[in-house]
């Protein structure tokens, strides 16, 4: 599983990344965590509002910081 | 010992040492500047932080959480009505990009996946320019005239600049990116009128708590001024009811905050800040512990406070050292300032615009700096020019824009901003004479 966190490097995207790490830890799962800061790449995923989060190339959230709980839900659904 | 890695540390140590060794203490101007800086920080803390900044942070936090960004972005997408897109782009800056870092990806998105170059540049300009917190602080510290001029100017500018960019580059056909823009998650639906009332109440509290003392003792302005705390209290009570009814805050918790606040208001009628502070602290406590929307609201508010207060503190210190309080001097003599940007000449306005465009202003720091400049002799016209060109642009920011739009369009954009800022400054300066 690959989780991508999109953002140019401000506090909000860092928080998103932290939440993703925390969610993985709580679920005791391993996944590849990629931080995407390049604008062109962010846009190529169709993300207009950062922060954004995608799991296995599917954009799950954009425009707000997803909570640890929300990320856990998405990961669990994916893993099913 | 790897000097290639360590030279920076050595340079820093040597620089600080030399500065400390040659510290020009006992030189009147330097000592005075230090004192001015401390006086200015104290004045900000006493006059503006509690009554103005704290409510402003709550408002900004609310905008970031409760205003439906999805519905706004729809107007800026690829299929949007182009005319409407301009209008929306010019005002939505404060709604969509209350965090300055979202401006650039969103701009790139609107440009390549959305409504195109025109609305994208309109948004690019308006985002930082119509920053809610900045407008509030500008009005409060630099006067309502500049506050309104800044807000109106910024909105007008973004539409004009967007339109000009669109027409200048109309022959360039931009390949719309193939990707479909991912829409943000739709927010909780509360009827629009409830949200509007919620925001209006917060703005009312901000306005009345900060109602300025007029010069004369008669007239409606003065009447409002003498009653301002009663009005603020009534509006706050109304706000408390809204929180219970529509935001799921428990009535008991809200009362637990309201009652001590009211008691403090009665005990200290001449120190309204005590009650106000208690109310703010109480609100923070009950919202931060809330698991629902109110909790998200506080998180967003706190995020802004954490991000902006340190920057503002440094900005005020710097402005104090360099320019001193109004009617006082810092390190920079007032004559230099009035010569460079005094009066309302083309030269002053242009100078202010160009410097503003290239200089980096962290959020809100333009306000204390401008206050210092005006106090040292900068004309109101050039002040507006700086307000309109400064926050929206900076050299690092121009480089990023260039990576999205290319050099030609970036140069066009920057030139448009500078030219328009200069002329708006001259116009405003002439109008208020």
């Amino acid at each position: 599983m690959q989780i991508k966190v999109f953002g140019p490097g401000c506090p909000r995207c860092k928080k998103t990344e932290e939440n993703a790490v925390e969610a993985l830890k709580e679920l005791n799962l391993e996944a590849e965590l990629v931080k995407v800061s390049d604008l062109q790449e962010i846009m190529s995923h169709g993300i207009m509002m950062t922060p954004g989060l995608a799991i296995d190339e599917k954009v799950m959230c954009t425009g707000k910081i997803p909570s640890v709980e929300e990320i856990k839900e998405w990961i669990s659904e994916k893993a099913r | 010992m790897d000097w290639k890695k360590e030279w920076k540390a050595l340079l820093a140590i040597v620089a600080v040492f030399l500065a400390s060794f040659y510290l020009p203490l006992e030189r009147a101007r330097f000592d005075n500047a230090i004192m001015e800086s401390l006086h200015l920080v104290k004045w900000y803390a006493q006059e503006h932080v509690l009554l103005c900044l704290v409510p402003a942070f709550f408002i900004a936090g609310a905008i970031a959480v409760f205003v439906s960004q999805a519905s706004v972005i729809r107007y800026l997408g690829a299929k949007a009505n182009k005319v409407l897109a301009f209008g929306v782009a010019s005002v939505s800056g404060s709604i969509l990009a209350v965090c300055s870092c979202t401006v650039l990806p969103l701009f790139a998105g609107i440009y390549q996946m959305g409504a195109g170059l025109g609305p994208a540049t309109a948004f690019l300009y308006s985002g930082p320019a119509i920053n809610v917190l900045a407008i509030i602080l500008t009005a409060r510290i630099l006067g309502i005239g500049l506050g309104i001029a800044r807000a109106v100017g910024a909105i007008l500018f973004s539409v004009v600049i967007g339109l000009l960019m669109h027409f200048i580059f109309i022959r360039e056909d931009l390949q719309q990116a193939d990707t479909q823009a991912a829409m943000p998650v739709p927010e909780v639906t509360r009827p629009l009128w409830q949200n509007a009332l919620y925001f209006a109440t917060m703005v009312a509290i901000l306005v009345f708590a900060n109602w300025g003392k007029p010069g004369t003792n008669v007239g409606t302005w003065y009447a409002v001024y003498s009653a301002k705390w009663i009005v603020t209290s009534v509006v706050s009570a109304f706000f408390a009811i809204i929180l219970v009814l529509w935001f799921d805050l428990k009535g008991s918790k809200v009362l637990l905050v309201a009652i001590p606040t009211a008691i403090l208001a009665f005990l200290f009628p001449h120190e309204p800040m005590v009650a106000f502070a208690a109310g703010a602290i109480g609100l923070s406590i009950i919202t931060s512990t809330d698991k629902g929307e109110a909790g998200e609201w506080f998180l967003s508010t706190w995020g802004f406070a954490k991000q902006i207060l340190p920057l503002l503190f440094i900005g005020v210190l710097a402005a104090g050292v360099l320019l001193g309080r109004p009617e006082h001097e810092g390190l920079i003599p007032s004559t230099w300032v009035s010569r460079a940007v005094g009066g309302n000449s083309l030269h002053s306005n242009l100078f202010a615009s160009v410097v503003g465009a290239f200089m980096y202003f962290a959020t809100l720091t333009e306000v204390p700096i401008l206050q210092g400049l005006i106090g040292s002799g900068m004309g109101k016209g050039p002040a507006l020019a700086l307000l309109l060109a400064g926050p929206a642009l900076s050299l690092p920011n121009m480089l990023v824009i260039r990576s999205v739009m290319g050099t030609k369009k970036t140069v066009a954009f920057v030139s448009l901003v500078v030219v328009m800022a200069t002329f708006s400054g001259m116009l405003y300066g002439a109008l208020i004479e």
Side-chain angles (χ1 to χ4, degrees):
Chain A
M1 188 186 314
Q2 181 204 63
I3 301 186
K4 279 194 177 165
V5 174
F6 301 89
C10 68
R12 289 178 14 132
C13 354
K14 287 208 192 79
K15 190 76 179 49
T16 307
E17 198 182 353
E18 283 173 26
N19 286 2
V21 169
E22 185 64 28
L24 284 172
K25 209 164 57 157
E26 287 184 16
L27 285 176
N28 220 338
L29 281 177
E30 295 243 324
E32 186 193 351
L33 192 56
V34 181
K35 181 86 194 306
V36 181
S37 319
D38 173 62
L39 275 185
Q40 298 292 343
E41 211 191 319
I42 295 178
M43 275 192 334
S44 70
H45 285 78
I47 294 192
M48 270 170 79
M49 290 205 60
T50 53
L53 188 136
I55 302 185
D56 285 337
E57 298 297 317
K58 178 155 184 286
V59 177
M60 305 302 295
C61 160
T62 143
K64 64 183 265 271
I65 306 175
S67 69
V68 180
E69 291 307 314
E70 286 174 310
I71 303 181
K72 274 164 68 180
E73 264 182 57
W74 299 328
I75 297 181
S76 313
E77 279 184 29
K78 265 286 168 155
R80 224 174 286 139
Chain B
M1 178 63 195
D2 187 0
W3 277 117
K4 275 198 231 134
K5 276 202 270 172
E6 300 299 322
W7 70 271
K8 280 193 203 147
L10 179 65
L11 195 64
I13 293 177
V14 170
V16 172
F17 170 72
L18 284 175
S20 317
F21 191 93
Y22 287 109
L23 217 49
L25 289 172
E26 312 286 305
R27 283 258 187 84
R29 181 169 281 280
F30 182 79
D31 288 359
N32 186 53
I34 302 281
M35 289 312 294
E36 282 303 310
S37 166
L38 295 175
H39 278 301
L40 195 64
V41 169
K42 181 171 184 176
W43 181 75
Y44 266 79
Q46 288 186 332
E47 296 291 319
H48 302 295
V49 172
L50 272 182
L51 295 183
C52 179
L53 278 180
V54 168
F57 284 136
F58 272 103
I59 294 177
I63 293 180
V65 172
F66 293 123
V67 178
S68 168
Q69 289 153 341
S71 48
V72 179
I73 295 228
R74 220 173 304 153
Y75 287 104
L76 297 171
K79 303 198 191 66
N81 174 327
K82 293 289 190 278
V83 176
L84 209 49
F86 274 102
V88 172
S90 65
V91 291
S92 61
S94 47
I95 298 177
L96 292 178
V98 204
C99 165
S100 52
C101 55
T102 15
V103 175
L104 290 168
L106 196 42
F107 155 67
I110 302 176
Y111 175 40
Q112 292 188 356
M113 297 187 294
L117 181 64
T121 36
F123 171 77
L124 178 65
Y125 178 78
S126 83
I130 322 186
N131 177 331
V132 160
L133 288 168
I135 304 273
I136 291 176
L137 202 64
T138 305
R140 169 82 175 154
I141 294 192
L142 302 177
I144 196 117
L146 270 176
I148 295 182
R150 178 181 182 173
V152 169
I155 296 179
L156 275 174
F157 264 43
S158 23
V159 174
V160 173
I161 292 180
L163 282 172
L164 285 174
M165 289 291 284
H166 173 77
F167 285 119
I168 296 176
F169 294 101
I170 199 163
R171 254 173 264 116
E172 296 192 18
D173 215 281
L174 179 73
Q175 290 285 56
Q176 287 282 13
D178 257 328
T179 27
Q180 267 297 36
M183 286 292 130
V185 180
E187 312 285 335
V188 176
T189 37
R190 188 178 295 110
L192 186 62
W193 70 271
Q194 287 186 349
N195 263 342
L197 205 54
Y198 162 73
F199 277 107
T201 314
M202 283 198 285
V203 172
I205 294 179
L206 178 71
V207 165
F208 285 108
N210 289 290
W211 198 271
K213 185 175 182 169
T216 56
N217 285 12
V218 290
T220 18
W221 194 278
Y222 184 73
V224 178
Y225 172 72
S226 9
K228 76 184 213 181
W229 287 111
I230 303 179
V231 178
T232 309
S233 312
V234 169
V235 180
S236 307
F238 186 57
F239 186 58
I241 299 176
I242 290 183
L243 288 177
V244 176
L245 283 180
W246 299 332
F247 286 82
D248 290 334
L249 278 177
K250 284 224 272 293
S252 51
K253 280 194 190 173
V254 173
L255 267 175
L256 219 56
V257 171
I259 295 185
T261 309
I263 294 179
L264 283 171
F266 279 112
L267 285 179
F268 300 100
H270 294 294
E271 303 285 333
M273 279 213 268
V274 175
F276 198 88
I281 295 175
L283 181 65
S284 306
I285 294 178
I286 56 176
T287 47
S288 59
T289 46
D290 180 79
K291 295 269 184 296
E293 288 187 298
E296 272 189 59
W297 173 34
F298 183 75
L299 216 62
S300 177
T301 304
W302 176 239
F304 283 119
K306 264 201 302 185
Q307 194 185 1
I308 291 178
L309 284 174
L311 291 173
L312 187 61
F313 180 68
I314 295 174
V316 172
L317 277 178
V321 160
L322 292 173
L323 298 157
R325 286 171 296 174
E327 314 290 313
H328 294 80
E329 279 196 357
L331 285 176
I332 299 181
S334 306
T335 39
W336 291 12
V337 176
S338 20
R339 231 182 294 151
V341 288
N344 197 36
S345 61
L346 173 61
H347 157 261
S348 307
N349 281 288
L350 188 60
F351 188 78
S353 301
V354 171
V355 170
F358 282 87
M359 208 167 122
Y360 174 71
F361 289 98
T363 317
L364 293 195
T365 46
E366 72 269 11
V367 178
I369 291 175
L370 232 90
Q371 181 191 20
L373 285 170
I374 294 178
S376 295
M378 183 186 216
K380 285 278 172 82
L384 183 65
L386 208 156
L387 275 178
L388 290 172
L393 286 176
S394 69
L395 193 52
N397 168 281
M398 285 185 215
L399 294 173
V400 180
I401 299 176
R402 186 174 146 268
S403 74
V404 177
M405 287 207 286
T407 315
K408 234 187 345 170
K409 294 195 180 75
T410 306
V411 169
F413 178 63
V414 173
S415 317
L416 278 174
V417 172
V418 168
V419 165
M420 292 196 57
T422 307
F423 282 119
S424 310
M426 289 178 67
L427 190 64
Y428 180 69
L431 273 175
I432 58 170
E433 284 310 326

